[in-house]
Amino acid sequence: MSKKLTAVALSGVLAAAMLASCSNSSTSSETTTTDGTTTTTVAADSSDNGTSAADSAETTQLDNASGDNASGGGTTTLRLVNGKIEVDAQLKDLAAAYEAETGVTVEIESMGGGVDIQSTLKGYYQADNMPDIFVCGSDSDFANWEGLVADLSDSAWTSDTDSAYVNDAGQVVGFPYTTEAIGLTYNKNILEEAGIDPSTITGPDTLQAAFETLEAKKDELGLDAVIGYSAESTNLYWSTGNHLFGVYLDAGLARDDTTYIDLLNDGGQLDEARFTDYANMVALFNQYSDPALLVSGTYDQQILNFASGKYAFVTQGSWIGATMTSDDKEQYEAAGSFEVGMLPYAFEEGIDTIQTNSPSWWVVYNNDNSEAAKAFLQWCSEDAGQKILVEEAGFISPFKSSQYIADDPFAQTISDYTTSNKTSAWHWLQTKDGIAQNATGVVYQDFASGNLTATEFVSTMQQVCEQYYAN
């Protein structure tokens, strides 16, 4: 392949940056999600060297961004572009440990502050200054580098995780360094106080019974509502149109089962029977949600109320753990720093998985250091690397053999589901671009507002999806 990216791919980098995951914008704590990916902000330390491809945002840069040449004395030097600036120090500890063990230097280049990482990488490519390992956070990101990154399929770590990024050719090209999860999040203390065993909630009947019990005990439990669910479509379309819609696509399925995403991508079709069962669950959320939040609430209100013990359930994923222990720390501690858990979204009897995925991946650039870079990633998946990535960086391990649990409210429950092979995939990432924001999100809002019955919600969603795919 030509050393230079095609014109289409180059222009695609800028477009892809708009869809990039948490790697493209980072802070000392992750605070929200945008279009289904963790979005954060950062104020870089004043000692950071300022560089930017798109603006004057600060980044932590290498003192010597010399690319992928070996350093003096024959010692291999690798360069890794990291998109989570809040763990810059921890990744440098990781690199130091690896160098002490192997003699291989790994230079960490961390970006944040709104820096357009994909655009910056494009500039590096044009300058023949590509890093050996860099971050990608979406299908579009990976598409930009098709044919230019190493096939990692023969790496031993691939058999130890369900979260590797696999391209259309079936090659593993993305290393998952952390994982996130989607499930029906609950306050374990409240359920125990209400006499509800979460393990007994295995389908729509038991879910409804639990909601009814909690509703009857709201006052004694100090609840504002049974569940914190918001269908506001302007700012929270990603929560309904991506994540919650993704529950219909994948809940209960094997990770490689693409039945419903394939159907959707074939002209916007829905499975009427499955979507009807799913719609009945959403109707339950509408009924038992906080009326002050249902169609006009914000993400911050939703998470603050859950962290404060005002809701027994909340329709958000594991990324809220960082918010609960940082921005909402005072209220969370006042509520007893309660244990959290996740239930499968069991809109059909027997659905027993939560949905997990890596929000972004490390990829290896095809160059003379590819094998050394692969060896480093293998080490990161093993005991020494996992200890630092989990215990110091706070990542939730995507590796089944990892014995370490991050200091995060959701780490244990995600680990339990992962090691039990009870996870499904995130195929909503493969829906047509913009469908949540431009089409499906408002249907959830109309349903929550009472403008649609459950039957009309099904038929309207079918019509909207078909029209969006037709256009």
Side-chain angles (χ1 to χ4, degrees):
M1 166 164 286
S2 167
K3 180 68 173 168
K4 299 299 178 186
L5 288 166
T6 65
V8 173
L10 286 174
S11 62
V13 174
L14 288 172
M18 300 299 294
L19 300 173
S21 71
C22 61
S23 61
N24 287 3
S25 179
S26 305
T27 118
S28 57
S29 69
E30 297 173 342
T31 56
T32 186
T33 66
T34 301
D35 201 16
T37 55
T38 307
T39 300
T40 54
T41 55
V42 64
D45 189 279
S46 59
S47 63
D48 293 339
N49 297 318
T51 65
S52 174
D55 51 36
S56 59
E58 296 185 29
T59 65
T60 301
Q61 292 287 350
L62 293 169
D63 292 331
N64 176 22
S66 57
D68 36 59
N69 296 321
S71 63
T75 301
T76 300
T77 297
L78 300 173
R79 176 170 154 231
L80 185 155
V81 165
N82 159 49
K84 295 178 70 66
I85 200 169
E86 71 271 21
V87 293
D88 177 73
Q90 292 88 339
L91 292 188
K92 286 175 178 173
D93 288 345
L94 182 80
Y98 188 67
E99 183 173 12
E101 184 173 324
T102 67
V104 175
T105 300
V106 182
E107 295 177 324
I108 304 298
E109 180 178 350
S110 295
M111 297 184 183
V115 168
D116 185 337
I117 295 178
Q118 288 291 304
S119 182
T120 302
L121 289 169
K122 178 193 73 171
Y124 285 165
Y125 186 90
Q126 292 173 320
D128 198 22
N129 185 33
M130 281 296 287
D132 302 291
I133 302 169
F134 59 93
V135 67
C136 281
S138 69
D139 290 353
S140 299
D141 289 356
F142 280 94
N144 292 327
W145 308 101
E146 185 175 354
L148 297 174
V149 298
D151 182 359
L152 310 176
S153 302
D154 61 352
S155 299
W157 60 261
T158 60
S159 63
D160 193 29
T161 182
D162 293 322
S163 298
Y165 187 93
V166 181
N167 65 16
D168 290 339
Q171 299 171 322
V172 175
V173 292
F175 175 88
Y177 54 87
T178 188
T179 193
E180 290 180 347
I182 296 170
L184 183 54
T185 297
Y186 63 85
N187 179 325
K188 185 176 180 180
N189 294 7
I190 286 177
L191 294 194
E192 287 180 349
E193 191 174 346
I196 297 171
D197 179 356
S199 68
T200 65
I201 301 175
T202 59
D205 292 341
T206 48
L207 181 61
Q208 180 169 345
F211 274 38
E212 291 172 350
T213 297
L214 291 163
E215 178 70 19
K217 297 182 176 182
K218 271 198 317 183
D219 290 342
E220 64 182 274
L221 295 172
L223 298 176
D224 287 350
V226 172
I227 185 169
Y229 165 62
S230 180
E232 189 277 327
S233 64
T234 301
N235 299 300
L236 282 170
Y237 63 85
W238 51 266
S239 181
T240 52
N242 283 336
H243 294 160
L244 198 56
F245 186 81
V247 169
Y248 153 74
L249 293 174
D250 281 299
L253 304 185
R255 295 191 68 87
D256 60 354
D257 189 334
T258 59
T259 299
Y260 301 106
I261 184 62
D262 290 344
L263 191 64
L264 182 70
N265 285 335
D266 183 17
Q269 300 179 72
L270 301 178
D271 182 284
E272 185 175 356
R274 180 176 168 91
F275 200 82
T276 296
D277 290 340
Y278 166 82
N280 291 333
M281 180 186 70
V282 179
L284 196 68
F285 297 167
N286 290 338
Q287 179 180 354
Y288 288 99
S289 184
D290 185 346
L293 184 83
L294 184 55
V295 293
S296 60
T298 67
Y299 172 85
D300 289 342
Q301 289 172 325
Q302 188 182 18
I303 306 314
L304 176 60
N305 287 354
F306 179 72
S308 302
K310 299 299 182 182
Y311 304 143
F313 295 97
V314 69
T315 55
Q316 289 291 348
S318 63
W319 49 84
I320 71 172
T323 305
M324 293 170 64
T325 54
S326 57
D327 293 358
D328 299 339
K329 181 179 180 179
E330 182 179 346
Q331 293 86 350
Y332 181 46
E333 289 179 346
S337 299
F338 53 85
E339 286 187 60
V340 298
M342 278 188 175
L343 285 173
Y345 278 105
F347 59 86
E348 293 178 337
E349 188 63 44
I351 289 177
D352 61 355
T353 63
I354 63 170
Q355 293 160 256
T356 63
N357 204 57
S358 180
S360 57
W361 296 261
W362 289 338
V363 301
V364 173
Y365 184 59
N366 259 328
N367 61 24
D368 292 342
N369 276 348
S370 293
E371 291 304 315
K374 288 167 138 183
F376 170 68
L377 295 184
Q378 180 61 42
W379 180 87
C380 287
S381 76
E382 296 169 354
D383 188 77
Q386 284 295 289
K387 182 175 177 61
I388 296 171
L389 288 172
V390 174
E391 293 190 341
E392 291 189 31
F395 292 156
I396 298 176
S397 178
F399 297 101
K400 298 173 186 177
S401 64
S402 179
Q403 62 180 313
Y404 303 104
I405 303 297
D407 185 18
D408 180 278
F410 291 91
Q412 186 64 59
T413 192
I414 295 175
S415 177
D416 291 344
Y417 277 103
T418 300
T419 55
S420 299
N421 291 314
K422 293 295 185 181
T423 68
S424 298
W426 283 12
H427 285 115
W428 61 264
L429 292 168
Q430 298 173 17
T431 58
K432 188 173 181 179
D433 287 351
I435 191 171
Q437 183 174 11
N438 300 316
T440 60
V442 71
V443 184
Y444 285 92
Q445 180 172 293
D446 284 345
F447 189 22
S449 299
N451 297 327
L452 300 172
T453 65
T455 300
E456 291 168 339
F457 175 66
V458 175
S459 61
T460 302
M461 188 67 79
Q462 177 69 80
Q463 181 180 11
V464 163
C465 289
E466 288 177 353
Q467 290 175 344
Y468 194 79
Y469 274 83
N471 293 328

